[in-house]
C-alpha cells in the first residue's frame, strides 16, 4: 500500500495543467468522494493496527499534496487567463500608476504663467557660455571681485568657455537679438562650483525676468514684484525690498516676502524674522544697456532673478535641496500639481 501511495504522490507532483477544466478533472479523479484518495482510505480502514501509523502519515501527506496542487494550479491559471483576456473581458483593468510632474517643473511653470499674465514671453539660452555673455556684458569688469560671488566651472581657459553661472547671460543674448521693447522671462539650469549640502548644489535652476522699454521705472518693478508675490504665495502676502548689490543693476535690491507659514509672526522657517528672502532685482545698470548697444538715454529697464529650488522649498516646506535631484519616487509622487 505504501508503494501505491508513493506512486500517487509522484503522479500528483508531476501533474501540470493548461486549463481550469483539466484541474477540475484532476480534482475529481483524486479528491472526490469516489476518487483515488477516498478509495485508498477505504483500504486503509482494513489495515492491521500496527501498519496504520506509517500508512496514515503517508495518506495525509498524499491528501495535502493533492489539495495544494489543485489550489496552486487554479491560482496560476486564473492569473494568466485574466491577463490574457480569455475569460471575462468586462473585468476592470489594472490601475496604471500615473507619474507626477517634478516639483521644480511645476513651480517653474507656475512662475512662468504668472509672468505670462503680465505679457512676459519665455526665452531660453545656452548653458555653455563665453565670458562676455556671463560676465563682461553684465558689467562684471575683468578681475572684479564680484566674479568670485559665483564659483565658475570652466570648460576652457583663454578664451574662457564656462557653464553659465546664472540665467542673466540669457538677458544679454536677448538684448542682442530681440527688438525693443523687451519683456522676457528666462528659465534655465545654472552651474556653480559649490559643495553639495542640504542648502546648496552645484546645479540649480533660476528664472530671470527682464523688461526694457522707454520710461520703465522702479515703481513698475515694485508693482510687478507685488503682483508676482501675491499670485505665488497668496493674496495676503506682503513684500519688502532691501538694498543690495549686483554688478548689472543699479539700484539693486533683494526682495523678501512675508512668511506664508507664520504670517509674519516668526517661525523656524523664517528664522523668527517673519520674512523670507526670495529674489534679487533692480534697474538695469545703464552700463549694461550701453554694453549691449541700447540707447541708455532713451531706454530704461528692470530685471529680477530667483532660484526655483529655494521657492519650491519654501512653498512645500522641503528641508533638503538634494531631494530634488535624487529622484526618489516616494518623494516625487507627493507632488500632484498639474501645471
Ligand atoms: N544673477 C543673480 C544671481 O544669480 C540673480 C539676479 C539678481 C538676477 C538681480 C537679476 C537681478 O536679474 O536683477 O545671483
Amino acid at each position: 500500500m505504501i508503494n501505491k501511495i508513493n506512486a500517487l504522490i509522484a503522479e500528483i507532483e508531476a501533474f501540470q495543467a493548461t486549463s481550469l477544466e483539466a484541474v477540475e478533472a484532476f480534482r475529481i479523479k483524486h479528491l472526490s468522494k469516489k476518487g483515488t484518495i477516498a478509495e485508498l482510505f477505504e483500504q486503509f480502514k482494513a489495515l492491521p493496527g500496527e501498519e496504520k501509523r506509517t500508512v496514515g502519515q503517508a495518506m495525509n501527506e498524499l491528501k495535502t499534496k493533492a489539495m495544494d496542487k489543485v489550489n496552486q494550479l487554479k491560482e496560476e491559471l486564473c492569473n494568466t487567463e485574466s491577463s490574457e483576456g480569455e475569460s471575462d473581458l468586462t473585468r476592470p483593468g489594472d490601475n496604471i500608476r500615473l507619474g507626477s510632474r517634478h516639483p521644480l517643473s511645476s513651480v517653474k511653470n507656475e512662475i512662468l504663467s504668472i509672468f505670462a499674465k503680465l505679457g512676459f514671453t519665455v526665452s531660453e539660452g545656452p548653458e555653455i557660455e563665453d565670458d562676455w555673455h556671463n560676465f563682461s556684458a553684465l558689467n562684471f569688469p575683468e578681475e572684479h571681485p564680484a566674479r568670485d560671488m559665483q564659483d565658475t566651472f570652466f570648460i576652457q581657459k583663454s578664451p574662457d568657455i564656462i557653464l553659465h553661472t546664472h540665467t542673466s547671460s540669457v538677458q544679454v543674448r536677448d538684448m542682442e537679438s530681440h527688438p525693443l521693447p523687451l519683456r522676457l522671462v528666462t528659465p534655465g539650469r545654472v552651474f556653480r562650483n559649490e559643495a553639495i549640502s542640504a542648502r546648496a548644489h552645484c546645479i540649480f535652476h533660476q528664472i530671470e525676468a527682464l523688461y526694457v522699454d522707454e520710461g520703465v521705472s522702479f515703481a513698475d518693478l515694485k508693482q510687478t514684484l507685488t503682483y508676482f508675490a501675491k499670485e505665488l504665495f497668496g493674496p495676503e502676502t506682503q513684500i519688502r525690498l532691501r538694498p543690495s548689490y549686483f554688478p548689472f543693476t543699479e539700484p539693486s535690491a533683494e526682495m523678501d516676502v512675508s512668511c506664508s507659514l507664520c504670517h509674519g509672526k516668526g517661525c523656524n522657517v523664517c528664522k523668527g524674522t517673519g520674512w523670507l528672502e526670495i529674489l534679487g532685482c533692480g534697474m538695469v545698470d545703464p552700463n549694461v544697456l550701453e554694453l549691449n548697444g541700447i540707447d541708455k538715454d532713451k531706454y530704461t529697464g528692470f530685471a529680477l532673478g530667483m532660484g526655483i529650488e529655494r521657492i519650491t522649498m519654501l512653498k512645500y516646506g522641503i528641508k533638503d535641496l538634494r531631494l530634488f535631484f535624487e529622484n526618489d519616487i516616494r518623494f516625487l509622487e507627493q507632488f500632484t500639481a498639474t501645471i
Side-chain angles (χ1 to χ4, degrees):
M1 185 151 177
I2 277 284
N3 289 347
K4 252 197 209 167
I5 296 172
N6 284 341
L8 212 49
I9 288 180
E11 185 188 328
I12 285 168
E13 277 177 341
F15 180 72
Q16 288 302 336
T18 51
S19 69
L20 286 171
E21 290 75 32
V23 180
E24 183 57 9
F26 172 85
R27 191 192 66 78
I28 292 169
K29 179 177 171 199
H30 297 295
L31 288 162
S32 65
K33 273 188 192 156
K34 290 190 178 151
T36 53
I37 296 175
E39 199 179 297
L40 281 172
F41 268 106
E42 282 305 313
Q43 296 172 20
F44 170 77
K45 280 185 201 158
L47 285 179
E50 65 277 13
E51 264 186 60
K52 268 193 173 151
R53 239 177 72 108
T54 41
V55 178
Q57 270 175 4
M59 288 290 298
N60 284 338
E61 191 191 335
L62 169 68
K63 193 169 177 192
T64 325
K65 287 231 153 108
M67 288 193 306
D68 286 351
K69 189 76 177 188
V70 170
N71 290 338
Q72 173 214 331
L73 288 173
K74 266 194 191 162
E75 199 178 293
E76 281 173 16
L77 286 163
C78 280
N79 286 343
T80 50
E81 282 196 6
S82 62
S83 66
E84 282 165 11
E86 277 171 16
S87 49
D88 183 359
L89 294 177
T90 62
R91 271 171 60 129
D94 292 336
N95 282 341
I96 296 171
R97 267 176 65 172
L98 288 181
S100 54
R101 209 176 272 287
H102 193 285
L104 292 178
S105 295
S106 48
V107 170
K108 175 186 91 175
N109 291 345
E110 198 177 343
I111 295 171
L112 294 180
S113 71
I114 296 170
F115 279 99
K117 287 190 234 168
L118 295 171
F120 285 76
T121 47
V122 175
S123 159
E124 284 175 310
E127 293 178 341
I128 296 176
E129 264 303 1
D130 49 31
D131 177 276
W132 172 258
H133 290 92
N134 198 78
F135 291 123
S136 300
L138 286 162
N139 203 30
F140 284 81
E142 224 160 288
E143 312 301 335
H144 192 281
R147 292 190 181 214
D148 295 342
M149 283 159 72
Q150 308 188 350
D151 301 302
T152 311
F153 281 119
F154 285 83
I155 289 179
Q156 179 192 299
K157 277 299 248 175
S158 30
D160 290 354
I161 303 292
I162 59 163
L163 294 177
H164 71 167
T165 58
H166 52 180
T167 42
S168 307
S169 60
V170 187
Q171 287 188 11
V172 176
R173 294 198 171 266
D174 289 335
M175 287 188 272
E176 273 172 3
S177 58
H178 283 66
L180 296 169
L182 284 176
R183 211 185 308 169
L184 300 164
V185 256
T186 60
R189 191 166 59 153
V190 301
F191 307 84
R192 289 185 200 176
N193 189 6
E194 297 212 20
I196 296 172
S197 71
R199 297 175 56 84
H201 208 288
C202 56
I203 301 175
F204 57 102
H205 298 79
Q206 290 189 328
I207 292 191
E208 191 117 348
L210 174 69
Y211 181 27
V212 181
D213 200 352
E214 287 179 48
V216 176
S217 72
F218 202 90
D220 296 318
L221 170 60
K222 202 173 160 195
Q223 187 53 36
T224 304
L225 292 171
T226 307
Y227 175 78
F228 168 68
K230 286 181 187 291
E231 285 285 302
L232 191 64
F233 291 104
E236 68 293 341
T237 309
Q238 302 289 310
I239 69 160
R240 80 174 180 188
L241 295 172
R242 284 177 291 104
S244 185
Y245 170 76
F246 300 103
F248 36 88
T249 44
E250 183 59 36
S252 304
E254 268 167 80
M255 180 181 92
D256 298 341
V257 292
S258 52
C259 178
S260 52
L261 292 170
C262 63
H263 304 287
K265 286 191 205 80
C267 65
N268 61 353
V269 174
C270 61
K271 303 202 186 80
T273 63
W275 296 96
L276 299 166
E277 186 191 320
I278 295 293
L279 55 76
C281 59
M283 299 306 292
V284 181
D285 192 308
N287 282 347
V288 172
L289 295 176
E290 206 169 29
L291 283 164
N292 289 283
I294 294 173
D295 183 350
K296 66 177 171 29
D297 297 321
K298 193 169 170 204
Y299 291 98
T300 49
F302 71 66
L304 58 100
M306 67 195 100
I308 305 178
E309 278 80 358
R310 176 160 174 77
I311 293 189
T312 311
M313 287 169 89
L314 294 174
K315 231 177 127 65
Y316 292 111
I318 297 163
K319 298 228 161 56
D320 193 325
L321 191 132
R322 289 168 290 197
L323 286 165
F324 291 127
F325 302 96
E326 284 165 0
N327 279 337
D328 184 331
I329 206 101
R330 291 167 302 177
F331 170 72
L332 295 177
E333 68 188 2
Q334 295 174 61
F335 302 93
T336 50
T338 46
I339 12 178

